């Protein structure tokens, strides 16, 4: 793959890389016949971002794929090294006239070549960590809630939150949208400053709410999105369903580029802690919460981490399982992956072994409840801790898997390289 | 005219000088202040301040005699060693550039006396001098220069600002043929090379005769960025041993001052094979 990006667009790419840098530690570069994508996923897999630049973004784009290679030329590089290449996006366009990106089919380096003023050429060779692709599966079309808003409005809104705010809750009704910082539980709520603000539908470019809901997602990644959107001055389109399902933000400049940010949202809690504005009524529902409250406290620290991770998993999980889908197909992927299949495609869902394992245990126990229920139950505070046996299965899950059989591997009978042993030669 | 300019010849000084603004001296001294100790040489031509590091790097600031309003030397050459960080701090004591300076050195074993005056306020400084050691002589002579280029500093400033600090070494290639001038670093985040062609608008003189590649420790080359930052033009020369010599042209009102920065290459195993 070889492409050339003209000067002004280099800045856009630099902004994109800086946004991706706030999402994950590794950058996936994926050339396709008509577009080049840059993707990243957060370490906890709770946030995913993808930037696709179409041919019109480039002054030259050549996706040459030789016939011999079946797999796409893709690569993963360290985010740190890539950010170093695009160090200062603001000054970049003053110096850079064009940027060429090259990715050789069997290369070990991703090459960025900057053609700067005065004929100076800066070439960066980034070592390729692995040749794998990243693809998140999510839907942004079949959701009831859609918002389109100018990034400035959101930036002003988010500016009000404290720098250490982790999560942001978005509460929507057809009449208004509320933004507030999320507090894990009552204890945390007592310690933190609660900020809440309200936006009128009139402030949005488009505002359609099919279902009243509230979604909670990470603010850090959301800020990355806003930084990018504001830098390129393009509206942000949000599509979401409800808590526990992913929220998708799209910033696009059709037809040159499109960026998608997918954030996992927290599972809605059974209690009413989200209604921070109704603190005066706190005493009333308190009694009803007492039962769940105690157990939450017990496993709070351990459980919190679990909850946080679980719900994103759950989110992606939901999005790939169509109602008709059973665990069958996903299982197949899972096993083929473990057996070293040549398919390097890693669905985000596949990257989440935790839930998969849990799902497996449940099915092994003959439990027919679907995945959603299991995860949902897990997220609700007050669920008794998992039985020891279950835990063992969860931790030592590999021990419960079927014995490895090399004959099950696709293409096991195909000899890729002859034995180097010359025994056969001796015989002849 | 500052009160300091009225000098009395009664006292017996080996070296005495007066300047009505320390601005340019300060610039020149700060540019080589990457180590604490500096050896100062006062000669008929002016003052030379040399700073060395690890026996590999040597930077010298030249302050011409003409820059001083009064310059008196009672010997052929006066040498002393001072802490340049303290010297810079003293010169900067009024913070402004309108500070007048009178400096005197009585001789071996005496401190460096400085009187600084701004707006009628006088500061009297006395900096201890130490035994001056012999400085390195790289024996860099024009006859052995293989390659020489002169370029506008802004170009190199950009390059230096973006040098990958995770790289231990920096490789400099100069050649009469493409790629002409190449700077390479290899850091943890990947390799970077910067090519500046011969016909670049930034290059004023290009006199390269032989293809030569030398590697230097980045930590030895990096301090030169201080001098680069205040310079207008820079000349880069390498000799047949790979010794790298930067010469910075620094404008100072009606004068042009120079800073020279030399750095030895890394002994290359390949060289021994030849």
């Amino acid at each position: 793959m070889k492409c050339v990006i003209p000067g002004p667009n280099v800045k856009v790419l630099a902004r994109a890389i800086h946004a991706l840098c706030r999402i994950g530690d590794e950058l996936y570069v994926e050339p396709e016949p008509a577009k080049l994508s840059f993707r990243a996923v957060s370490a906890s897999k709770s946030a995913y971002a993808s930037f696709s630049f179409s041919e019109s973004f480039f002054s030259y784009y050549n996706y040459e794929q030789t016939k011999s290679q079946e797999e796409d030329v893709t690569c993963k590089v360290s985010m740190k090294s890539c950010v170093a290449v695009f160090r200062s996006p603001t000054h970049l366009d003053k110096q850079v006239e064009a940027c060429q990106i090259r990715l050789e089919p069997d290369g070990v380096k991703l090459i960025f070549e900057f053609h700067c003023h005065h004929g100076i050429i800066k070439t960066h060779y980034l070592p390729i960590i692995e040749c794998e692709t990243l693809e998140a599966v999510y839907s942004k079309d079949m959701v009831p809630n859609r918002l389109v808003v100018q990034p400035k409005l959101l930036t002003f809104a988010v500016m009000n939150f404290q720098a250490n705010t982790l999560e942001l809750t978005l509460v929507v009704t057809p009449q208004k949208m509320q933004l507030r910082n999320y507090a894990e539980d009552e204890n945390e709520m007592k310690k933190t400053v609660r900020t809440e603000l309200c936006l009128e539908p009139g402030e949005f470019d488009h505002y359609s709410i099919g279902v009243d809901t509230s979604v909670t997602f990470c603010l850090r990644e959301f800020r990355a999105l806003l930084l990018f959107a504001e830098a390129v001055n393009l509206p942000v389109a949000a599509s979401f369903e409800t808590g526990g399902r992913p929220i998708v933000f799209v910033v696009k400049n059709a037809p040159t580029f499109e960026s998608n940010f997918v954030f996992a949202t927290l599972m809605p809690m059974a209690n009413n802690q989200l209604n921070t504005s109704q603190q005066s009524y706190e005493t009333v529902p308190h009694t009803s919460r007492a039962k769940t409250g105690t157990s939450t406290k017990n496993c709070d620290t351990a459980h919190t981490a679990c909850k946080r991770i679980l719900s994103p998993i759950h989110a992606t999980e939901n999005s790939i399982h169509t109602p008709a889908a059973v665990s069958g197909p996903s299982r197949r992927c899972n096993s083929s992956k473990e057996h070293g299949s040549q398919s390097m495609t890693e669905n985000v869902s596949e990257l989440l072994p935790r839930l998969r394992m849990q799902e497996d245990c449940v099915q092994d126990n003959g439990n027919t409840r679907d995945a959603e229920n299991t995860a949902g139950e897990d997220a609700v505070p007050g669920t008794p801790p998992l039985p020891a046996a279950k835990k063992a299965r969860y931790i030592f899950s590999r021990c419960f898997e079927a014995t490895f059989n090399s004959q099950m591997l696709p293409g096991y009978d195909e000899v890729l390289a002859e034995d180097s042993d010359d025994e056969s030669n001796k015989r002849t | 005219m500052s009160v300091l300019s009225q000098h009395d010849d009664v006292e017996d000084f080996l070296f005495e000088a007066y300047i009505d603004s320390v601005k340019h001296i300060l610039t020149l001294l700060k540019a080589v202040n990457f180590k604490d100790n500096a050896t100062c040489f006062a000669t008929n031509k002016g003052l030379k301040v040399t700073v060395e590091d690890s026996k590999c790097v040597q930077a010298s600031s030249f302050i011409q005699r003409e820059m001083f309003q009064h310059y008196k030397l009672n010997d052929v050459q006066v040498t002393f060693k001072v802490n340049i960080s303290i010297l810079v701090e003293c010169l900067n004591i009024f913070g402004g550039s309108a500070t007048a300076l009178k400096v005197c050195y009585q001789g071996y074993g005496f401190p460096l006396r400085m009187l600084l005056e701004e707006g009628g306020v006088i500061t009297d400084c006395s900096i201890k001098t130490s035994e001056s050691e012999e400085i390195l002589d790289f024996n860099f002579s024009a006859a052995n220069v293989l390659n020489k280029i002169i370029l506008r500093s802004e170009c190199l400033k950009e390059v230096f600002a973006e040098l990958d600090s995770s790289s231990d070494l920096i490789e400099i290639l100069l050649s009469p043929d493409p790629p002409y001038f190449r700077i390479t670093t290899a850091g943890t985040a990947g390799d970077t090379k910067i090519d500046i062609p011969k016909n670049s608008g930034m290059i004023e003189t290009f006199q390269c005769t032989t293809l030569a590649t030398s590697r230097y420790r980045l930590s030895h080359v990096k301090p030169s960025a201080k001098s680069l930052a205040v310079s207008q033009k820079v000349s880069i020369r390498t000799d047949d041993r790979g010794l790298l010599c930067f010469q910075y042209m620094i404008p100072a009102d009606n004068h042009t001052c120079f800073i020279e920065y030399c750095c030895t290459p890394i002994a290359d195993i390949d060289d021994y094979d030849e």
Side-chain angles (χ1 to χ4, degrees), chain B residues 28-46:
Chain B
L28 289 164
L29 292 183
K30 272 185 184 167
V32 293
N33 184 14
F34 56 90
K35 281 275 158 191
D36 278 345
N37 285 319
T39 313
C40 306
F41 303 90
T43 63
N44 250 339
K45 289 179 182 162

Side-chain angles (χ1 to χ4, degrees), chain A residues 80-82 84-85 87-88 95 109 117-127, chain B residues 155 158-159 161-164 188-197 200-202:
Chain A
K80 235 184 181 172
S81 63
C82 203
V85 170
R87 209 162 288 168
S88 50
Q95 307 166 8
K109 300 273 160 99
H117 294 318
H118 307 292
I120 300 167
I121 298 171
K122 291 178 193 163
T123 319
H124 300 271
Y125 299 86
L126 308 192
Chain B
C155 160
E158 253 169 50
V159 171
E162 286 184 22
L163 282 181
D164 182 357
T188 47
D191 304 349
T192 304
K193 70 176 191 218
I194 298 159
D195 292 348
I196 304 173
S200 163
M202 285 292 161

Side-chain angles (χ1 to χ4, degrees), chain A residues 147 149 151-162 165 167-173 175-182 193-201 203-204 207 215 219 222-223 226 274 276-277:
Chain A
L147 309 168
V149 61
K152 213 159 213 135
L153 180 71
L154 287 179
T155 308
F156 279 138
V158 166
M159 248 163 40
N160 295 295
F161 293 94
Q162 284 187 311
T165 308
E167 286 113 350
L168 192 68
T169 303
L170 201 81
V171 185
V172 286
T173 61
Q175 289 77 40
K176 63 174 182 180
M177 181 179 100
Q178 276 177 298
L179 281 169
R180 64 166 80 107
N181 55 337
Y182 174 78
V193 175
R194 287 192 302 277
T195 313
E196 186 175 316
L197 50 97
C198 186
L199 298 171
E200 300 285 332
E203 298 194 76
F204 292 81
Y207 190 90
V215 286
L219 186 55
F222 185 60
R223 284 200 166 114
L226 289 182
L274 289 176
T276 50
S277 55

Side-chain angles (χ1 to χ4, degrees), chain A residues 326-370:
Chain A
V326 254
S327 59
S330 58
R331 264 204 157 179
R332 183 182 49 77
C333 291
N334 205 16
S335 58
S336 67
K337 172 113 197 98
E338 267 158 359
H339 294 169
S341 150
Q342 284 170 345
S343 144
M344 292 295 254
T345 309
E346 272 192 69
N347 276 337
V348 169
S349 55
E350 247 93 63
L351 289 167
L352 315 165
R354 202 183 282 245
L355 179 77
R356 181 68 16 86
M357 288 170 193
Q358 245 172 18
E359 194 188 332
D360 286 352
C361 324
V362 174
Q363 275 151 359
D364 286 345
N365 286 350
N367 200 329
T368 48
R369 276 180 301 180
D370 63 10

Side-chain angles (χ1 to χ4, degrees), chain B residues 30-250:
Chain B
K30 272 185 184 167
V32 293
N33 184 14
F34 56 90
K35 281 275 158 191
D36 278 345
N37 285 319
T39 313
C40 306
F41 303 90
T43 63
N44 250 339
K45 289 179 182 162
L47 197 63
K48 177 177 132 183
V49 181
T50 302
V51 179
E52 290 180 340
D53 182 23
S54 341
K55 299 271 180 215
C56 294
V57 179
Q58 186 183 72
S60 303
S61 270
F62 298 93
I63 308 161
Q64 286 122 303
R65 183 185 184 145
E66 290 73 38
M67 286 181 70
F68 296 94
Q69 275 73 40
H70 167 76
Y71 189 93
K72 196 179 165 201
L73 205 64
N74 288 332
D75 205 342
V76 185
Q77 179 177 301
V78 176
T79 311
F80 54 90
K81 195 164 134 186
V82 286
N83 185 320
I84 189 172
S85 305
I86 290 173
L87 184 64
V88 164
E89 217 172 288
C90 290
L91 291 178
N92 214 9
I93 205 152
F94 289 115
S97 54
T99 312
L101 164 77
K102 183 176 175 179
V103 58
C104 352
Y105 178 61
Q106 217 170 327
Y108 180 78
F110 285 92
L112 183 72
R113 294 264 326 258
M114 295 201 299
L115 288 170
L116 293 147
E117 188 261 357
E118 189 173 321
V121 183
I122 296 177
T123 308
D124 188 346
C125 311
S126 169
I127 306 172
K128 277 181 190 158
T129 57
S130 47
E131 197 84 48
S132 62
E133 290 157 28
E134 203 149 308
I135 62 156
L136 300 166
D137 181 9
F138 288 126
N139 198 15
F140 188 89
S141 73
N144 297 332
V145 169
L146 286 185
N147 299 314
K148 178 185 176 182
I149 53 173
I150 298 176
L151 68 165
R152 302 225 322 255
S153 297
E154 49 189 292
C155 160
L156 213 57
K157 273 180 213 170
E158 253 169 50
V159 171
F160 266 70
E162 286 184 22
L163 282 181
D164 182 357
S165 50
S166 69
S167 174
D168 265 350
L169 305 177
I170 173 170
E171 189 178 280
I172 294 178
L173 175 148
L174 286 166
S175 152
D177 307 302
Y180 305 114
F181 179 30
R182 170 175 288 178
I183 295 172
T184 316
T185 53
T188 47
D191 304 349
T192 304
K193 70 176 191 218
I194 298 159
D195 292 348
I196 304 173
K198 186 182 171 178
N199 54 6
S200 163
M202 285 292 161
I203 292 195
E204 273 188 16
T205 312
F206 190 88
Q207 294 165 356
C208 291
T209 54
T210 329
L211 173 107
T213 312
S214 301
R215 290 185 299 156
Y216 308 88
R217 208 157 274 288
L218 187 60
S219 60
H220 288 164
V221 178
K222 262 278 169 79
S224 70
K226 279 189 165 189
S227 309
L228 184 67
V230 293
S231 68
Q232 196 173 49
K233 284 178 197 171
V234 53
S235 114
I236 303 171
R237 290 174 297 168
T238 56
D239 74 355
D240 50 355
R241 295 164 298 165
L243 193 72
L244 175 70
C245 187
F246 292 108
Q247 204 176 58
Y248 302 97
M249 201 181 100
I250 295 153

